[in-house]
Amino acid sequence: MPKINKTKYAILGVLSMNPGSGYDIKKFCDKGISYFWNENFGHIYPVLKQMEVEELITKIAEQNEGKPMRYVYSITPKGWEELTEWLMQPPENTPARLELLLKLTFAKNIPENNVIEQMEKIKQKHIQRLEQYEEMEKEFNSNEKTRLDRGYPYWLATLRYAIHDARFRIQWCEETIQNIREHQKMLNN
Amino acid sequence: MPKINKTKYAILGVLSMNPGSGYDIKKFCDKGISYFWNENFGHIYPVLKQMEVEELITKIAEQNEGKPMRYVYSITPKGWEELTEWLMQPPENTPARLELLLKLTFAKNIPENNVIEQMEKIKQKHIQRLEQYEEMEKEFNSNEKTRLDRGYPYWLATLRYAIHDARFRIQWCEETIQNIREHQKMLNN
DNA sequence: GTATCCATGTAACCAGTTACATGATTGC
DNA sequence: GCAATCATGTAACTGGTTACATGGATAC
């Protein structure tokens, strides 16, 4: 089977919540879900065009005074069908490619201290991420309205994933740094 | 900056351990590091060719009786240089695209039970993965020789990453399933 | 005045995937 | 007899990235 255009489903999903322009879709990705999903204009615009041809979405031109042209897309019944069908299907797991782990595999060819430094930086990055996510969680849970929304447990799930993820990475960084140091000592004796 | 061919570095890394053929490289990826790195023939062979032109590797033809032709590649000094330079650089983080989380974001459009079923299956998959990794860890640590290798803490790190990863996902699946159920009940009252 | 936001799009590029082609050997 | 392993490669394709082009409005 050929590789599937995931951008199409991301767009369908975003438009299922609200009609919007290509720009709006990009904004939603950047502001709302960038820690697990990313899109860029160079792909969004051509895919939108193609989806219109496939009748998954419809376009309406919007001209506000003094502002640039806006093309607002809405999802069609056919689009809804395609979206829900995709949602019901188990997610495809794309073959992993974790550059950090690949580097570690061959890391014995560079000085230990360089590796430790890199791991330390990565740990700091995840500590910052974790703080952000925990802040987001607080805000999210303090909002009464969101908790009554049918989507509540799903939004929460994505956030919790990010939190778990950041935590395990911090732990793993610490553990790994310690293991490198201990091994260093062992070999010196 | 343009996107960088990571396959090149994977090949350099594999050949830094032992000279080998394209087939050997693929085998190493599949057997040894497939849970965090994947390559396929359709990319390996052309990249090998290009790397030979760049003088990062050299080729020797090997003809064993009755067996198909083998082309064994070795890393050159220039290749070593490029490899270590890359290793010293902090890893690029490619923009995330986690299909599962994207689906959860829009999951309120399909029946809860479908989502729960999917999450249950994913949990089972990670339980199996975890068992495998823990088995691998035992074998790995029981081997005296590997512990004296300079690469020991790095190999261990990749394995420990996989273990941490599987564990957090199992936990997260359980948590999420429970949250969906509780929310379901709450809305029914 | 300068940076950011709003807004749309195209063209060139490339990394990586899939399918196809070939054929001997080994193990069950 | 059949599947898997060994072994190399090409061609077609496509999903996604980057760079380029344009230009007004708003906020500091």
Side-chain angles (χ1 to χ4, degrees), chain B:
Chain B
M1 48 188 156
K3 214 173 23 168
I4 283 160
N5 183 348
K6 297 289 158 63
T7 297
K8 187 167 84 172
Y9 297 108
I11 290 175
L12 283 174
V14 177
L15 294 183
S16 79
M17 301 190 303
N18 278 305
S21 64
Y23 194 85
D24 293 333
I25 292 164
K26 170 76 166 138
K27 206 166 50 174
F28 178 81
C29 292
D30 288 351
K31 300 269 164 84
I33 58 174
S34 68
Y35 59 95
F36 65 83
W37 198 264
N38 291 275
E39 290 293 347
N40 49 287
F41 287 126
H43 206 208
I44 288 174
Y45 285 118
V47 172
L48 277 172
K49 218 175 234 180
Q50 196 208 310
M51 287 170 74
E52 211 198 343
V53 175
E54 291 177 54
E55 296 182 302
L56 303 172
I57 55 175
T58 51
K59 181 163 77 175
I60 296 170
E62 216 177 61
Q63 175 67 282
N64 298 2
E65 293 165 53
K67 279 185 181 173
M69 207 56 177
R70 253 173 74 88
Y71 298 99
V72 177
Y73 291 91
S74 302
I75 188 167
T76 64
K78 201 177 159 195
W80 268 105
E81 221 178 283
E82 187 131 341
L83 174 62
T84 50
E85 211 175 278
W86 174 72
L87 287 172
M88 305 274 282
Q89 232 56 44
E92 271 177 50
N93 39 348
T94 41
R97 282 200 135 191
L98 306 181
E99 201 186 337
L100 174 58
L101 295 199
L102 187 66
K103 283 191 172 176
L104 282 175
T105 305
F106 309 122
K108 73 165 160 179
N109 299 307
I110 59 167
E112 270 114 341
N113 289 338
N114 180 291
V115 183
I116 289 172
E117 244 175 71
Q118 286 194 41
M119 294 297 289
E120 201 70 62
K121 270 183 201 156
I122 290 162
K123 183 186 147 190
Q124 290 308 322
K125 197 185 68 186
H126 291 303
I127 287 174
Q128 279 184 11
R129 275 180 61 212
L130 181 57
E131 271 171 32
Q132 273 179 39
Y133 299 146
E134 281 175 339
E135 192 53 46
M136 282 166 75
E137 198 191 13
K138 256 190 219 164
E139 274 176 50
F140 185 63
N141 279 323
S142 67
N143 188 334
E144 290 283 324
K145 256 189 252 171
T146 56
R147 258 187 278 173
L148 292 171
D149 190 285
R150 269 200 71 211
Y152 171 77
Y154 303 127
W155 269 103
L156 184 62
T158 59
L159 238 180
R160 294 293 302 166
Y161 183 98
I163 288 172
H164 278 294
D165 181 80
R167 278 198 192 131
F168 107 73
R169 282 173 204 251
I170 293 165
Q171 248 187 281
W172 172 74
C173 282
E174 283 169 1
E175 188 190 297
T176 299
I177 291 167
Q178 222 199 312
N179 282 340
I180 297 170
R181 289 229 170 90
E182 269 172 29
H183 196 255
Q184 214 172 2
K185 271 184 210 162
M186 194 201 77
L187 290 188
N188 284 344
N189 292 347

Side-chain angles (χ1 to χ4, degrees), chain A residues 3 5 7 40 42-43 66:
Chain A
K3 215 172 20 167
N5 183 348
T7 298
N40 48 289
H43 207 208

